[in-house]
Amino acid sequence: MGKNDVPKIVVTPPGPKSAKLMKLAEKWVPKAVYTITPIFVAESEGAIVKDVDENEYIDFAMGIACLNVGHRNPEVMKAIKEQVEKYHHLCFHVTPYEPYVRLAEKLSTIAPGNFEKKTVLVNSGAEAVENAVKVARRYTGKPTIITFEYAFHGRTRVAMSLTGSVQPYKYGFGPQDPAIHRTPSAYCYRCSFGLEYPACNMRCVEYIRDTLNIHLSPDEVAAMIIEPIQGEGGFIVPPKEFLQGLRKICNENNILLIADEVQSGMGRTGKMFAVEHYNVVPDIIPLAKSLGGGLPLAAAIGRRDVMDSVHLGGLGGTFGGNPVSCVAGLKTVELVQQLLGNTEKLGKLLMSRLKEMYKKYEIIGDVRGIGLMTAVELVKDRKTKEPAKKERNQILAECHKKGLIIIGAGAYKNVIRFLPPLNISENLLNKGLDIFENAIKTI
Ligand SMILES: Cc1ncc(COP(=O)(O)O)c(C=O)c1O
């Protein structure tokens, strides 16, 4: 392993077939294309994955939050099958088709904000972010984007420049986008100012005001981009006043607010968009991951005047809003809307079990989240908060061995995130949590 490689979670492949395929992957796929587990999948359904050696797993990763309605959701599969019987690629720029327009209509209608919106469809979360930034720069005529510590916005140039951690996302890939300004986030468990909420009086918000007076000119700032719950950064849930404070500063300075809902959106928190928990209305929302029900699909939804500020031909792409992805997206949105109540209920169950574990196991330093976007942060010592990185990886490896697919997060590599599907049964959720709790006991 090179000096700058991310430490790998060491797990032996679960059987000879996975081991053989892992060897092939090592030979043919660049090592940079990291695999968290060496489990090669044969089949999947609902919240269950079966590997090529016939082992079964409960899935709490769901392709990193891309399957909120479960693996191979029957209604999504039906919509896909019906669509491929008609046409499967045309390119919206050449011969447009109805599913694109219907999905744009649906997303523009359900997104927060009592004003007209429009939606451009693309292929990935990073692409949605790139488009949001393009639009913000074009609309305002200003270059700078304010981003936050611990952010993750993707791996393309602007998206990686907006991302917080240099390792592994940015290292050696420079030059980065030059007009990016980073400011502290509201990571209350590890406050950048060493303060405690609520006595802090939201210093992180006031700091941005100072920044706009001293280090940046509002005349040069197009937008602020924030994940309502920072995902890869460690499921960091800011206090309400944080997002509300950002909205206020944006309003006062003619700056757009971009809420990156790529991971927190699509019902994951029990509301369609996580910003709804904060009563904050963004100007642009990049959305992806679960939007396509497992197919590549992403969107940038925004205020109509903002989206329409871009010149003809300025947005788009060959595959953006592919018809099969669009019908899968339309069905997924409909299903997620029906699952919001269930998500809230399961979220409470998940939170109460993790809080119970917090009482029993010193290694759990913090439990946080909303709905089914919940995580634990592991520490060697609750006082010093020294990140328990090695132990985190041991727990993940033990879970993988015992039949639970679960993944980490966090800039300090010490967070474990829980991303079960929104329609998982209570029984399976509890079973997965039992495996997790037993894994903690082995540490
Ligand atoms: C908040 C957020 N934005 C953007 C992205 C990038 O999405 P993609 O991997 O589809 O490019 C991610 C992916 O994890 C994300 O969590």
Side-chain angles (χ1 to χ4, degrees):
M1 193 173 90
K3 191 166 128 270
N4 292 303
D5 287 348
V6 176
K8 222 173 159 136
I9 300 158
V10 185
V11 219
T12 16
K17 290 185 180 162
S18 269
K20 205 167 158 198
L21 288 167
M22 205 62 216
K23 284 257 170 320
L24 267 187
E26 277 160 19
K27 182 162 180 208
W28 295 109
V29 182
K31 75 171 177 10
V33 185
Y34 180 68
T35 68
I36 298 169
T37 75
I39 300 165
F40 275 81
V41 172
E43 285 167 42
S44 66
E45 189 164 1
I48 299 287
V49 160
K50 204 193 231 182
D51 75 16
V52 287
D53 296 290
E54 313 241 323
N55 304 297
E56 271 193 15
Y57 306 83
I58 299 169
D59 193 354
F60 277 7
M62 301 309 284
I64 319 191
C66 289
L67 294 159
N68 285 2
V69 293
H71 285 278
R72 294 195 310 116
N73 183 288
E75 290 187 61
V76 176
M77 294 302 109
K78 184 166 171 276
I80 291 172
K81 280 181 195 153
E82 282 171 8
Q83 184 56 44
V84 293
E85 290 301 324
K86 296 182 205 155
Y87 54 90
H88 74 307
H89 173 68
L90 294 167
C91 185
F92 193 73
H93 305 301
V94 182
T95 46
Y97 41 88
E98 187 170 346
Y100 188 116
V101 183
R102 291 286 174 210
L103 186 59
E105 177 188 30
K106 183 80 186 166
L107 294 175
S108 305
T109 313
I110 63 171
N114 208 2
F115 44 77
E116 285 189 56
K117 279 151 265 161
K118 283 193 167 186
T119 297
V120 56
L121 299 175
V122 289
N123 303 293
S124 68
E127 218 188 321
V129 167
E130 296 276 339
N131 277 279
V133 169
K134 270 189 191 174
V135 171
R137 285 179 167 161
R138 186 75 177 85
Y139 175 77
T140 58
K142 304 191 271 184
T144 304
I145 310 291
I146 296 181
T147 185
F148 292 83
E149 289 173 349
Y150 309 108
F152 183 80
H153 296 289
R155 294 171 180 270
T156 51
R157 186 168 183 252
V158 172
M160 87 171 156
S161 306
L162 294 166
T163 291
S165 298
V166 67
Q167 274 294 354
Y169 310 115
K170 307 201 278 191
Y171 183 76
F173 297 151
Q176 306 290 323
D177 186 288
I180 304 284
H181 184 92
R182 192 172 311 284
T183 185
S185 157
Y187 189 178
C188 299
Y189 186 66
R190 295 180 188 277
C191 176
S192 300
F193 300 97
L195 300 171
E196 281 208 15
Y197 176 80
C200 62
N201 284 326
M202 301 310 293
R203 178 76 190 100
C204 48
V205 174
E206 290 316 305
Y207 187 79
I208 302 173
R209 283 188 201 284
D210 286 350
T211 297
L212 287 169
N213 277 328
I214 305 164
H215 307 293
L216 288 175
S217 165
D219 292 351
E220 292 182 326
V221 179
M224 271 184 213
I225 182 163
I226 182 74
E227 299 157 76
I229 297 178
Q230 289 185 304
E232 302 301 307
F235 282 26
I236 300 165
V237 186
K240 268 199 176 146
E241 299 93 305
F242 182 67
L243 286 176
Q244 290 174 353
L246 300 189
R247 179 70 271 181
K248 200 151 179 272
I249 294 175
C250 286
N251 289 350
E252 289 162 3
N253 293 284
N254 189 26
I255 294 171
L256 296 179
L257 183 65
I258 303 173
D260 181 345
E261 294 263 11
V262 167
Q263 192 155 173
S264 59
M266 288 301 291
R268 177 83 359 228
T269 62
K271 292 199 188 283
M272 204 66 193
F273 299 87
V275 273
E276 293 175 69
H277 293 280
Y278 294 85
N279 299 325
V280 162
V281 177
D283 300 294
I284 310 175
I285 302 179
L287 191 66
K289 288 202 184 276
S290 271
L291 174 60
L295 294 192
L297 180 64
I301 312 161
R303 266 170 44 196
R304 191 178 72 162
D305 56 331
V306 173
M307 300 305 281
D308 270 343
S309 66
V310 180
H311 49 280
L312 200 64
L315 303 176
T318 310
F319 276 114
N322 166 272
V324 185
S325 300
C326 283
V327 295
L330 277 162
K331 185 47 80 181
T332 304
V333 171
E334 186 190 318
L335 294 173
V336 165
Q337 284 179 315
Q338 294 161 14
L339 282 169
L340 296 177
N342 198 48
T343 308
E344 204 187 322
K345 191 177 105 203
L346 291 178
K348 282 188 185 142
L349 170 67
L350 173 60
M351 185 54 94
S352 78
R353 284 227 36 201
L354 294 176
K355 286 256 161 87
E356 280 302 312
M357 291 185 214
Y358 173 83
K359 284 187 210 147
K360 289 197 251 173
Y361 311 107
E362 283 285 310
I363 194 167
I364 300 180
D366 194 26
V367 180
R368 54 182 180 252
I370 306 181
L372 287 175
M373 186 164 184
T374 295
V376 293
E377 175 155 355
L378 305 179
V379 289
K380 286 181 193 279
D381 177 320
R382 281 191 180 170
K383 275 216 175 70
T384 64
K385 298 185 181 175
E386 186 189 342
K389 289 187 206 185
K390 203 176 93 214
E391 295 79 357
R392 195 277 309 255
N393 284 357
Q394 284 168 353
I395 291 170
L396 289 178
E398 181 64 17
C399 288
H400 302 159
K401 259 198 271 172
K402 293 285 154 57
L404 175 68
I405 297 176
I406 186 165
I407 55 177
Y412 301 101
K413 315 255 177 287
N414 65 330
V415 172
I416 294 181
R417 54 179 145 168
F418 297 78
L419 289 166
L422 314 184
N423 52 4
I424 192 170
S425 67
E426 279 191 26
N427 182 30
L428 270 188
L429 182 62
N430 273 319
K431 257 179 146 171
L433 287 167
D434 292 342
I435 296 174
F436 172 69
E437 183 163 1
N438 287 332
I440 295 186
K441 286 184 196 160
T442 63
I443 297 302

